Each structure stands twice: as structure tokens, then as C-alpha cells.
Amino acid sequence: MPSPTPQDDAPGPRGPLWEVALAFFHLGLTAFGGPAGHLRAFQKEFVARRGWLGEGAFAGLVGLCHALPGSASSLLGAAIGLRRAGPLGALVATVAFALPAVLAMIAFAYLAPRFTAAFGDGWLHGLRVAALAVAAHALFGMARRLAAGPIAAGIAIGSGVGLVFATGPVAQVCVLLAGAAFGAALLAPEPAAGEVFGGRRITPAAVALFAFLLAALPFLAQILSSPVLGLASVAYRAGALTFGDGAVALALLEGEATSRAWLAPEALLAAYGAVQALPGPPAGLAAFLGAAPGLPDWRGGLAAAAAFLAPGLLLVLGVGPYWDHLSRNRRVMAAAAGAAAAAIGLLAAALWDPLAAAAVRQPRDWALVAAAFVFLSVARLPAWLVVPGFALAAGIFA
């Protein structure tokens, strides 16, 4: 095993793929706590214990993952896998880390209706209430980090207000693009420094494939009349436009699923709560959508999860090796910061309508949401404890 304290941040010799697979599968089973918890687990596992990279390189990879769209922890896993074992290492790391949560959420899609028939809807209502509090807690945490300062805050507020008047997937995409444009013109973030890939190069074909799939999947799904391709196009678009946290993925998937009458908002909110109670990345949310009753089946769940993860993986492969150069470009960093600030407004709009309406049935439910929020933000209890606790309590008292 390499020394646990590398002397520099240049990539070391490549390791075997099985080593990458085992390390990330173990984290997929044990890494609770959402993106922040995952990043802490990665730092402990790959910097402190295994010594695959140094603190400087790890910080550089975290910067990359916050600048690119996609789940931050999945992006970081792909970047570490790329650095350790090349392109196949990125793919193996992405799949191994997501697989436990994806399989668990496909099972949840099958079992939830049976549990509701046997035990009533109370536990599911508690799950939705706690999930709303978790999403609100994520919103405040993201806003402090991604919408700090008057210009970024203005982008976030403008995005949220705009989505009150113009709803739907097209409006969401336009808001994120407008945020990137305003960020490039008005923001001036500090450029990053440090070398994390040591000049390794991947063909730009990965970025071209990312753009091609984003544009072509909806047309292919319509031409071929394929429900699975339709699901994949929705999940791919959500994965391509998510910034940082699974709560933004929830907002994007909710907009697509409800506009197509695939799923009620309360079902997806309950699934988000279940994702928070599980280790691993939020790809399980897309898996639930694909396997939900009335939609294809477990194969649709796997296809949706793969499509959700694909954009981040392609961007890491295409952009990652050039990050040392791009991270010093103020305009590129400003555009990424503007899009991330716009994602705050997108999440805020979705939280208010329809997610809050889906979770809150009567005035006293607001008290439950507030209680869950206090447990998360004041008592600092982990989401994986708060969410099942509220589901169990609601099921008992219902």
C-alpha cells in the first residue's frame, strides 16, 4: 500500500481496478451524511488512510467537483478514480459508489406501495415531512456557500422569482444558463491553484458526447417511442444540470416527472427522504423514478440511474485533466459560480411549490417540518437518523 502521506500532489503509479472498485463499494455502503459527509469520508479514506493523493490535490478535486454540474460526491469519486486508475477507474468508482443506493431505491419503489397498504400512509407522510426539512436545510447550507455576496444572492433571488412565473423543464434550463451568463459577466471569484492531474490528457470527445446526449436523447426517445429512453433523457438532463446536492436533482426530476404525469410530487419527495436515510450518492432518486409503479420496472431504474450519473462522469473525463488550466480562468469560474447560484433559486422555487404543498396537509404539519429542521440545524443530528425517525413516529401515531 502506498505511503499514507504523499510527498507531493502529482499522480502516483496507477492502481488495479479491483482496488478502486472495493474501496468505493465500501464507501457506497458506509458513507452517510450527504455530499458533506461523503467528502469527509473520501478525505479520510483516500488521503489519510490509503494515501492515494495529498491534501492539496484533494482540495483541487473538490474545487473541480463544485464547479461542474452533477452530484458533488459522485464527481469526486470519478475524479479520484480517474487519477488513480485512468478512465476505467473513473467509471468503476462511479458505479461502485452508487450501486448500493441504486439497488436499495429500486427495492423501495417496489416495496413502498405494499408497506402503505399494510401499515397505512402515516409513515410515508412522516418521510415526506422530514424530507422537506432536509431539502430546506440543504438549501440554506448551499445558499451560504454558493450565493454569498450581493451579486450571487441577486442571481439566486432572480432565478427563484423567475421560476414562480415560468415553470417547467425549459424554464429551469434557461434559468441555469442565464445564471451562468450573469456570473461570467458580473462575478469575480478567486482562481484556483495547484496541479491535480499532472498533465494527463483525455480526448475532448467526452465533452462532445456529453453535449450530443443532452441534445439527442429526447429526440431519440420520441422517434423510437421508447419509455426507457424517455426516462433516460429526463434523468440525463437532471444529472447534467444538478449542482452540488441531491436537493437540486429533486427539484429538476420533480419538474420533469410532474409535467409528464409520471409521478406525484409527494412520491418523489418521499423517495428523496429515503435517499437521505441511505449511504451513497443521490443517483438512487433517479433509480426510484425509473422503477416507480406505472413506469417501466427495475430495468428502467437502472437505466435512469446510469443516465443520471453519465453527465458528471463524461465531464470529469473531458474537463478534469484540463482543470489545472481552466481553474485559473476567472471567466470560467465566474460562469460556474453563476450557474450554481441560479440553482439555489431553482431549489427554492421547487421547495415552495409543489414540494411543500405535497408534504404539508394541514397547519400542524408545518410544526413537524420546523421540528425536523431544528433537529438537523440546531441539534445537528444526521439526516439518516432524522428521516427514518420521523417516518417511524408518524407511522405509530397515525
Side-chain angles (χ1 to χ4, degrees):
M1 179 178 292
S3 167
T5 55
Q7 297 303 310
D8 56 59
D9 287 332
R14 292 190 176 186
L17 286 175
W18 64 263
E19 182 184 35
V20 174
L22 287 179
F24 279 97
F25 187 74
H26 174 261
L27 287 171
L29 291 170
T30 59
F32 289 89
H38 299 161
L39 266 57
R40 287 193 297 270
F42 283 10
Q43 191 277 338
K44 182 178 179 181
E45 180 71 14
F46 299 118
V47 177
R49 195 173 84 83
R50 293 180 180 267
W52 286 5
L53 67 168
E55 291 285 359
F58 184 80
L61 292 183
V62 170
L64 165 68
C65 298
H66 284 309
L68 294 177
S71 162
S73 51
S74 296
L75 290 168
L76 183 57
I80 293 174
L82 174 63
R83 199 174 187 272
R84 179 65 178 174
L88 280 179
L91 174 63
V92 167
T94 300
V95 172
F97 183 52
L99 189 60
V102 166
L103 295 179
M105 288 305 297
I106 290 174
F108 180 77
Y110 278 93
L111 296 176
R114 293 170 174 79
F115 270 87
T116 301
F119 302 107
D121 186 51
W123 72 277
L124 207 55
H125 181 57
L127 198 61
R128 290 192 289 263
V129 165
L132 182 62
V134 170
H137 184 254
L139 171 64
F140 280 98
M142 291 170 64
R144 284 196 297 267
R145 189 179 77 250
L146 301 178
I151 295 176
I155 292 173
I157 293 169
S159 300
V161 172
L163 287 170
V164 170
F165 296 100
T167 59
V170 174
Q172 293 173 342
V173 173
C174 290
V175 157
L176 291 172
L177 292 176
F182 276 108
L186 301 174
L187 292 175
E190 287 297 321
E195 186 174 285
V196 296
F197 281 102
R200 288 181 179 173
R201 291 290 180 263
I202 303 298
T203 172
V207 177
L209 181 58
F210 163 84
F212 171 77
L213 291 174
L214 186 61
L217 274 176
F219 295 103
L220 289 174
Q222 188 172 11
I223 292 170
L224 299 176
S225 299
S226 169
V228 173
L229 269 181
L231 277 167
S233 71
V234 167
Y236 187 91
R237 195 153 52 251
L241 299 174
T242 292
F243 277 84
D245 191 274
V248 180
L250 169 68
L252 291 165
L253 289 173
E254 177 276 324
E256 295 273 11
T258 54
S259 68
R260 298 164 185 259
W262 283 350
L263 208 60
E266 55 265 26
L268 205 58
L269 188 59
Y272 177 71
V275 166
Q276 298 306 307
L278 293 171
L285 195 60
F288 173 87
L289 176 62
L295 291 168
D297 51 25
W298 61 269
R299 288 163 292 192
L302 291 176
F308 181 81
L309 292 167
L313 175 63
L314 289 173
L315 286 176
V316 166
L317 291 175
V319 176
Y322 301 93
W323 180 244
D324 299 332
H325 172 71
L326 290 175
S327 62
R328 298 183 179 92
N329 187 310
R330 289 182 181 272
R331 194 60 59 89
V332 170
M333 299 300 291
I344 302 297
L346 188 157
L347 175 56
L351 270 181
W352 179 248
D353 182 23
L355 295 178
V360 177
R361 297 174 175 174
Q362 49 195 336
R364 69 180 183 186
D365 286 341
W366 284 114
L368 294 175
V369 173
F373 188 86
V374 168
F375 279 124
L376 291 163
S377 60
V378 179
R380 298 187 182 278
L381 294 180
W384 59 263
L385 184 60
V386 172
V387 170
F390 267 72
L392 180 62
I396 292 172
F397 288 107

